[in-house]
Amino acid sequence: LLIRCGESAEGHTVVLFCPYFMRPVINDNDEMDRAFRFVMLSMDEIAMQRKYIFVYCYLGMDWSDPSLASRLRFAYDILPRRYGINLKAFYVLHPTSGFKVMLWTFRPLIGRELWDKIEYINSLDEICELLHPNDETKRAVLKRQFPLAVHRQDAELKGHHKPVVFGVPLRQMCWYYGVDFVDKTTGKMYPRLPPAIVFLCEALEREAGEADFSVFDADCEEIYRLVDIIDEGKPLEREMSPASMWCVLKLWVDCLPSPLLSFQAIDELKRKQVKSGDMVAQRNFLLDSFHNHLSPESAYVALYLSSFLHTMCQNAIEHQGIGMPHNSTLVNRSSMQGAAQKTPIVASSAAQVFTPCFIRPRIMTQDTLEVMPHAVSLVETLITCAEEPELWIGRRERPSQVVPDDDSSSDDFDPLLASSMIAESKQEDSVPSAAASGIA
């Protein structure tokens, strides 16, 4: 929804806004309020402190809809003047003729200080060239931070094949579309993770997916729909069952051209005679693989997935016997019915399901078939020991603290007060007059 993309060549903070990802909650007033509060509170840390560039990624959102227009109008009215002062440019990426006409209908309601900074951009290459004219590396990094849906839109407008994520080599996916992810619990920084795995894992944890690990009992129609959503970079629909998300997560990793620990790992496991239950030998094998043999892309994705499975197993243990999964308000009601029949995730079952994602032979023979039980035990050890510091190959980060400028208080803007106003205000169908508006 809102992505902070470092700085432009001139040192201005670059922010991407993709309201396309609000589509699943467009008719949910509470969720829309949360989305607007998130955007406003996040922007306050940027717009009140420093010069910034705002990039609006147009992907078909209809802001003329009365419910959206009223919220947009309300948010616009309470913004302090400093937002307009610190704004260096407002770029609209991939605008259509219809969008331009719609924007002109809002012209009387938009202050000139903002209107004069609006500029239309037709391609990703153009916006990246504009923000980093003399640095090809930074252009590539900036382009990678745009969501897959924006890349697909860009390819369609150029007449190119639209990118997908199933069956694509991991290095290619990480380089062109990877997202830098920081685990808020551990502080681990995972660079350039494929968006598909992050979205699915985050959704499963949010929806208490540890309570329903019935991977092979998911509805086929829902699986097909979810595969299309992930493959095309669309926002996840609400009310998706955890079983379907587990199934598609496994399917996505299985479709990678090679397993996360490489095809050679199964031969090394046999050569080193790493047996089931020998955790010392298994840990040494894993340490050697992560630190000496795997590519950074494979290592980080394997560590992220194993850490996620470890977390889900711990959640299942902690909430066993409570009667309903944790965070149950977010679980759809249909999945709550008959919860007693659902199968919670444990490390052994997770290893059985996800072992082919981590380690498998190119061709299954009788010899490799005999090694597979040892491979399953190895993956179970990886899941169990995923948070051990010796396995980690990257760096950790601490949450950053934003220190306001000395003169930022002159606008008397309280973001918490603003968010409460959004939550408490009654949305009106009529649009306020031009006299009541304007950043300038």
Side-chain angles (χ1 to χ4, degrees), residues 376-389:
V376 173
S377 179
L378 176 75
V379 173
E380 183 176 352
T381 297
L382 174 59
I383 294 171
T384 303
C385 304
E387 295 302 333
E388 292 187 3

Side-chain angles (χ1 to χ4, degrees), residues 86-354:
N86 284 341
L87 177 66
K88 301 303 295 182
F90 189 112
Y91 296 123
V92 180
L93 179 63
H94 298 146
T96 62
S97 299
F99 176 83
K100 294 177 182 179
V101 171
M102 184 273 296
L103 193 60
W104 267 103
T105 64
F106 285 94
R107 175 63 186 91
L109 310 176
I110 300 177
R112 183 173 180 178
E113 188 171 356
L114 171 59
W115 184 262
D116 290 344
K117 296 175 182 178
I118 296 176
E119 184 176 342
Y120 298 123
I121 305 294
N122 294 317
S123 72
L124 280 174
D125 290 335
E126 184 182 350
I127 186 71
C128 294
E129 177 74 25
L130 194 63
L131 296 176
H132 296 289
N134 302 313
D135 195 323
E136 185 176 355
T137 299
K138 289 186 177 180
R139 289 199 296 269
V141 171
L142 175 60
K143 190 173 182 179
R144 175 172 58 83
Q145 296 184 74
F146 284 85
L148 179 65
V150 178
H151 283 272
R152 287 175 60 85
Q153 174 84 346
D154 194 67
E156 181 178 11
L157 293 173
K158 291 179 178 178
H160 299 165
H161 290 294
K162 292 187 285 189
V164 294
V165 298
F166 275 87
V168 178
L170 188 59
R171 177 167 292 182
Q172 176 183 331
M173 202 181 323
C174 293
W175 179 253
Y176 290 111
Y177 316 113
V179 296
D180 298 331
F181 179 82
V182 178
D183 188 318
K184 295 179 181 179
T185 303
T186 63
K188 291 179 179 177
M189 168 65 179
Y190 296 90
R192 294 190 301 198
L193 288 179
I197 193 171
V198 176
F199 293 160
L200 285 169
C201 291
E202 289 283 287
L204 276 165
E205 188 168 3
R206 184 173 63 248
E207 301 290 340
E210 71 275 2
D212 183 10
F213 194 57
S214 50
V215 181
F216 304 110
D217 294 331
D219 177 72
C220 62
E221 293 298 328
E222 189 171 86
I223 291 173
Y224 295 148
R225 192 166 71 252
L226 185 53
V227 166
D228 287 339
I229 289 171
I230 296 298
D231 212 25
E232 298 175 7
K234 297 177 181 178
L236 291 178
E237 295 179 2
R238 308 185 73 192
E239 308 298 330
M240 283 286 184
S241 70
S244 296
M245 288 190 283
W246 280 117
C247 185
V248 173
L249 174 62
K250 172 179 168 57
L251 181 62
W252 179 84
V253 187
D254 277 341
C255 285
L256 293 174
S258 62
L260 295 176
L261 299 183
S262 79
F263 284 118
Q264 292 73 29
I266 195 79
D267 297 325
E268 284 296 300
L269 198 67
K270 181 180 179 181
R271 186 181 68 81
K272 294 182 178 180
Q273 296 184 343
V274 180
K275 303 295 184 181
S276 301
D278 188 349
M279 291 191 67
V280 174
Q282 290 171 340
R283 288 182 74 260
N284 290 335
F285 182 90
L286 292 169
L287 286 170
D288 183 51
S289 296
F290 282 112
H291 289 277
N292 300 319
H293 298 293
L294 295 180
S295 67
E297 295 84 5
S298 295
Y300 278 116
V301 173
L303 287 169
Y304 175 79
L305 180 58
S306 58
S307 176
F308 164 73
L309 294 172
H310 173 87
T311 299
M312 298 300 278
C313 291
Q314 291 299 115
N315 289 344
I317 293 171
E318 292 173 5
H319 298 93
Q320 207 169 26
I322 293 180
M324 62 175 62
H326 84 297
N327 207 10
S328 59
T329 57
L330 296 176
V331 181
N332 63 65
R333 297 193 178 278
S334 61
S335 67
M336 291 297 294
Q337 296 174 354
Q341 285 74 41
K342 303 300 181 182
T343 304
I345 188 174
V346 294
S348 58
S349 62
Q352 288 284 347
V353 170
F354 282 95

